[in-house]
Amino acid sequence: MAATSSPIDTATDIKVDLTRNRVYFSDTNNHCIRMVDTVSGAIRTVAGFCKTSGYTGDGALAIDATLNLPSGIFFEGERSNLYIADSGNKAVRVVELSTGTITTVGGVGPRPSSVDRVMFSEASLDYPTGLFVDATNNILYISDVVTHKIRAVNAEMTTIAPSPTPTPISSLPANGLDFTNANITTLATGLQLPYYCAVGNDPFIYCTAYDAEVIYRIDRYNGGYAIIAGVRKYTYTLP
């Protein structure tokens, strides 16, 4: 189907694969992730069964799985993995694009969201939205909007600080980063609804704040933060 003829219901996050001329985006209220081929103009679904919400399909084809209000995505271009913040299911899922299969890597474990320094597969999230990877230091960052936190999932270390000799992406395993048995920690607390984030020049991360109308700059090493744009209009009770 031509992308210009396909209805979209609340596109939230978007990522570009420059090497393959593809644009991936979250079709949030349709409960799916879709891709536009910028050369042919065609659109197709890569994860989720559009217009159907649910939490099914791990270990099978992503196009046969169900998602619930997916929002943040991160395309790990070198390794062809697409990470999805499956917000309504409180999970982080990954699609291996070479095979089309989907799995849950964390967020739905038995531990409460207040518990840190446990394996990601054991941890829980409340409403993950923003999702981004620092591939050099093997860290997955998650905006957990309901708890007003930024969580850091560290694939190779027990603390959030990078290793003395960061692993270059060229030497990572061929199937990409593996966060399944990684440790999860809280990077920053006291934020107001952190939503989407991006990695800036070391050591900073920048985050929008849903409904709080500000931009945060966060030090990834010590969790300190400052408002660099906007004026905080609302104050929320933090858990």
Side-chain angles (χ1 to χ4, degrees):
M1 175 186 292
T4 53
S5 301
S6 179
I8 296 171
D9 191 351
T10 314
T12 50
D13 203 3
I14 188 168
K15 294 293 183 290
V16 179
D17 178 1
L18 294 174
T19 62
R20 299 176 180 86
N21 299 308
R22 295 172 178 175
V23 175
Y24 294 82
F25 67 93
S26 304
D27 195 347
T28 298
N29 286 351
N30 277 329
H31 309 289
C32 56
I33 307 298
R34 308 174 80 183
M35 182 273 291
V36 177
D37 186 313
T38 59
V39 176
S40 67
I43 189 171
R44 67 179 178 89
T45 299
V46 295
F49 194 80
C50 289
K51 299 185 179 180
T52 300
S53 66
Y55 183 37
T56 63
D58 275 350
L61 291 177
I63 56 174
D64 295 329
T66 53
L67 309 174
N68 188 1
L69 299 173
S71 54
I73 58 175
F74 187 91
F75 179 68
E76 189 193 341
E78 290 289 333
R79 303 293 175 245
S80 297
N81 290 329
L82 183 69
Y83 293 87
I84 303 169
D86 194 354
S87 302
N89 286 322
K90 304 182 180 182
V92 175
R93 306 175 80 177
V94 61
V95 178
E96 185 178 345
L97 295 176
S98 61
T99 63
T101 57
I102 188 170
T103 55
T104 296
V105 292
V108 292
R111 303 294 186 94
S113 59
S114 59
V115 174
D116 271 343
R117 300 191 183 280
V118 296
M119 288 193 300
F120 189 30
S121 55
E122 292 287 312
S124 63
L125 302 169
D126 276 346
Y127 199 85
T129 52
L131 194 66
F132 56 106
V133 173
D134 175 358
T136 300
N137 295 304
N138 299 350
I139 300 175
L140 169 69
Y141 292 100
I142 306 163
S143 303
D144 200 0
V145 64
V146 172
T147 60
H148 307 277
K149 295 178 179 179
I150 303 296
R151 312 291 294 277
V153 182
N154 195 321
E156 292 195 347
M157 297 153 285
T158 57
T159 66
I160 62 172
S163 62
T165 55
T167 304
I169 192 160
S170 59
S171 65
L172 293 174
N175 60 349
L177 303 177
D178 181 5
F179 295 104
T180 306
N181 295 314
N183 287 301
I184 186 168
T185 59
T186 295
L187 172 62
T189 61
L191 306 173
Q192 299 286 315
L193 300 174
Y195 208 54
Y196 290 113
C197 300
V199 177
N201 290 330
D202 199 38
F204 295 119
I205 296 168
Y206 297 86
C207 297
T208 62
Y210 181 79
D211 205 31
E213 302 181 1
V214 296
I215 305 296
Y216 291 111
R217 183 182 65 196
I218 303 164
D219 188 315
R220 54 172 286 180
Y221 297 148
N222 62 28
Y225 68 89
I227 294 173
I228 63 167
V231 177
R232 181 181 288 174
K233 295 184 178 181
Y234 308 100
T235 299
Y236 297 89
T237 301
L238 303 179

